[in-house]
Amino acid sequence: MKREPDFDELVGEDLPAAEAARLRRAHELLLATGPLPELPPSLEEPSIERRASTEHEGVFQLLPRRRIGAGLALAAAIALVAFFGGYLAGYRQHGFTAEYTVPMHGVNGLAASAEIKVGKRDPRGNLPLEVGVSGLAKLAGGRYYEMYLTRGKTLYTCGTFAAGGRKSFNVRLSVPYALRPGEGWIVTVERPGQLGPGRTVLTT
């Protein structure tokens, strides 16, 4: 007896909840479709008789009518398998695996938060970051947000981003710094031409 493929074994446990739910629906559709039918012996070596009217017939007229429905169902199942496999492969290629996370909170009563996911350093020495931000307002007048790594009183920029008017969003950043115990992170509001860091809105 063949065991049905386990969804968690196929995709792993590092998917976001929304992605896992979408893939699970596709997985359940594949299971409901069942195994692909074997090719009938009559189709292994097809013989097509020449008739005078074949030039006006479509390709499906070469098959018995009872097999057209099965052929369409088989094509749909193959397309679903290809979509599921391609989607999962694309996610694995472009997904983000965190080595550890650092939470951030709003300052001065600001109802905002963030989570910094620190990835694995790439061969060129860059450390990838994915920052999930919630509660930051959309800025006007050319202003933008900037994230800093704090090392005592010294600040090291980690990149800039805009909130875009969305309540929650993710932003990808990359830094070359070696992280050390006791360091912190802040997010500030910056204005073009401004000297020095602006007002801090998030901190660790």
Side-chain angles (χ1 to χ4, degrees):
M1 179 182 295
K2 290 185 177 180
R3 183 174 67 90
E4 291 185 351
D6 183 79
F7 175 79
D8 294 327
E9 292 179 359
L10 290 174
V11 304
E13 300 180 353
D14 59 342
L15 294 176
E19 300 294 340
R22 188 178 301 112
L23 292 178
R24 185 177 292 277
R25 286 194 294 271
H27 176 72
E28 292 172 352
L29 287 174
L30 287 172
L31 293 180
T33 302
L36 299 178
E38 296 182 0
L39 187 67
S42 59
L43 292 181
E44 292 181 357
E45 297 180 0
S47 59
I48 303 173
E49 298 181 358
R50 301 181 64 86
R51 293 182 295 172
S53 60
T54 55
E55 59 179 333
H56 301 295
E57 294 180 347
V59 64
F60 283 114
Q61 291 176 303
L62 300 178
L63 295 175
R65 290 185 180 275
R66 65 178 178 275
R67 289 182 181 150
I68 294 177
L72 292 177
L74 177 60
I78 292 174
L80 189 59
V81 170
F83 168 78
F84 182 79
Y87 185 89
L88 183 58
Y91 177 82
R92 291 298 187 189
Q93 180 179 359
H94 301 292
F96 187 94
T97 302
E99 297 286 304
Y100 62 93
T101 61
V102 180
M104 304 185 74
H105 59 84
V107 300
N108 299 325
L110 179 64
S113 62
E115 183 181 65
I116 306 171
K117 295 180 180 180
V118 182
K120 184 178 181 180
R121 194 175 298 276
D122 66 25
R124 292 166 296 279
N126 297 307
L127 193 65
L129 308 174
E130 183 175 85
V131 187
V133 183
S134 178
L136 287 185
K138 181 179 181 179
L139 300 176
R143 294 179 300 165
Y144 54 90
Y145 294 102
E146 185 163 3
M147 191 167 82
Y148 291 94
L149 174 68
T150 63
R151 186 173 293 168
K153 295 183 179 181
T154 305
L155 303 181
Y156 298 88
T157 182
C158 300
T160 61
F161 60 91
R166 297 179 59 182
K167 184 177 180 181
S168 300
F169 63 96
N170 292 334
V171 60
R172 294 279 183 93
L173 302 171
S174 180
V175 298
Y177 316 124
L179 303 185
R180 304 171 184 173
E183 294 175 331
W185 306 80
I186 62 171
V187 172
T188 62
V189 176
E190 304 296 327
R191 187 187 304 274
Q194 176 178 295
L195 298 178
R199 175 174 55 92
T200 298
V201 291
L202 290 173
T203 187
T204 53

